[in-house]
Amino acid sequence: MSKRQKAKLSRGIQYAILILIAVVIALVADWPTLIDTFGRFDIAVGMFPEVITGALKNTVIFTALGFVLGLAIALVVALMRLSSVGVYRWLATIYIEFFRGLPALVVFLVMGFGLPVAFPGFLLPQLVIIMIALGLVSSAYMAETIRAGIQAVPKGQVEAARSLGMSSSRAMITIVLPQAMRIILPPLTNELILLTKDSSLAYILGSSVDGRELAALGRAEIVNTANLTPFIVIAVCYLIITIPLSYLSRVLERKYGSAEPGAK
């Protein structure tokens, strides 16, 4: 048997096993109970249009604000990480390791409940708290991504800029950062997807009806209906956000991933 025939036979066996597993699951599963627990059409319909006009919109807003703040912090931290000043490098390293090591849930709890205890009378709007928490969660990861992107730009680009009389800061802003951002666009898109899912932790802070995001709305509907169908609706809503972002990430990776750093 040739190598190609063996490969074809191996794929056929794998497909047959997968089909067999799917058939067994379909035959063994208690479909009436599953549909009644997770697929109540009347409950799903009752969540509209609030799930779109309110919860989905708030999730997008929280994610966008957190991403913008996180990107701004990450850029500063990444530049500090690459600084020739030792104190800046140490501070940036401590920041990155600290927030990469903390679970996102802890960050939300500290921002939402720890700060008011530590600083009595210092109250921030909930939107600001969520934005800061998401920004801190994402900035540590994005800082390392940006640092890697900056280091991927050939040193000759900086040397050429300096030979033309540019200062280090001007060369970084006008030459290095534009090329680095081109390199890191795909991983930043992936970070945006992760941040979208992290925004679900905002429900632990509590919110008004108008301020609920997808996870908070789903939790409230599950309590009201004593049914898990809202989980399925919320999951579909998250997919509505993340699938286009995943496609965008793949497009950017195909467009920029194989390009040489600094290429025109």
Side-chain angles (χ1 to χ4, degrees):
M1 185 179 292
S2 66
K3 186 180 294 185
R4 179 178 296 180
Q5 290 174 328
K6 290 180 180 179
K8 187 175 180 179
L9 177 62
S10 175
R11 285 196 298 270
I13 294 173
Q14 294 174 33
Y15 292 149
I17 292 174
L18 289 175
I19 293 173
L20 179 62
I21 292 173
V23 170
V24 170
I25 292 175
L27 293 176
V28 173
D30 185 356
W31 290 105
T33 303
L34 284 174
I35 293 173
D36 184 63
T37 305
F38 294 99
R40 289 275 299 278
F41 183 75
D42 57 324
I43 294 177
V45 171
M47 296 178 64
F48 289 86
E50 182 186 0
V51 68
I52 300 295
T53 60
L56 182 64
K57 180 192 70 174
N58 288 334
T59 295
V60 172
I61 292 173
F62 296 163
T63 302
L65 292 176
F67 183 78
V68 170
L69 178 62
L71 184 60
I73 297 174
L75 181 58
V76 174
V77 174
L79 293 176
M80 291 174 62
R81 188 86 163 77
L82 297 171
S83 174
S84 59
V85 181
V87 175
Y88 291 164
R89 290 198 306 273
W90 276 103
L91 289 175
T93 301
I94 292 171
Y95 179 91
I96 291 171
E97 296 303 326
F98 182 78
F99 282 106
R100 283 203 306 183
L102 279 182
L105 178 63
V106 174
V107 177
F108 272 89
L109 289 173
V110 170
M111 289 299 305
F113 304 108
L115 288 183
V117 173
F119 304 98
F122 182 70
L123 298 176
L124 293 173
Q126 189 177 60
L127 180 61
V128 175
I129 293 175
I130 295 172
M131 179 181 69
I132 294 174
L134 289 174
L136 293 175
V137 166
S138 62
S139 60
Y141 295 94
M142 288 195 288
E144 285 294 89
T145 302
I146 294 173
R147 178 191 62 79
I150 291 174
Q151 290 182 323
V153 177
K155 292 183 179 180
Q157 299 280 336
V158 179
E159 294 171 355
R162 295 301 303 274
S163 68
L164 294 175
M166 288 187 183
S167 64
S168 298
S169 58
R170 185 180 177 187
M172 176 63 69
I173 294 172
T174 61
I175 303 297
V176 177
L177 284 180
Q179 295 183 68
M181 294 302 294
R182 178 176 177 271
I183 296 170
I184 65 177
L185 271 177
L188 284 184
T189 307
N190 289 328
E191 182 59 40
L192 182 58
I193 295 172
L194 295 175
L195 198 63
T196 301
K197 293 182 287 187
D198 284 339
S199 68
S200 63
L201 294 172
Y203 86 91
I204 65 174
L205 303 178
S207 61
S208 62
V209 173
D210 294 335
R212 290 188 298 197
E213 39 72 51
L214 287 171
L217 176 63
R219 183 169 178 268
E221 290 294 329
I222 288 171
V223 172
N224 292 336
T225 62
N227 190 274
L228 296 179
T229 300
F231 266 159
I232 304 301
V233 177
I234 297 307
V236 171
C237 289
Y238 275 113
L239 291 175
I240 291 173
I241 301 173
T242 58
I243 288 178
L245 290 176
S246 298
Y247 177 76
L248 175 62
S249 176
R250 290 194 295 270
V251 170
L252 292 174
E253 189 171 359
R254 286 197 299 268
K255 185 173 182 180
Y256 297 126
S258 60
E260 290 294 330
K264 297 296 183 181

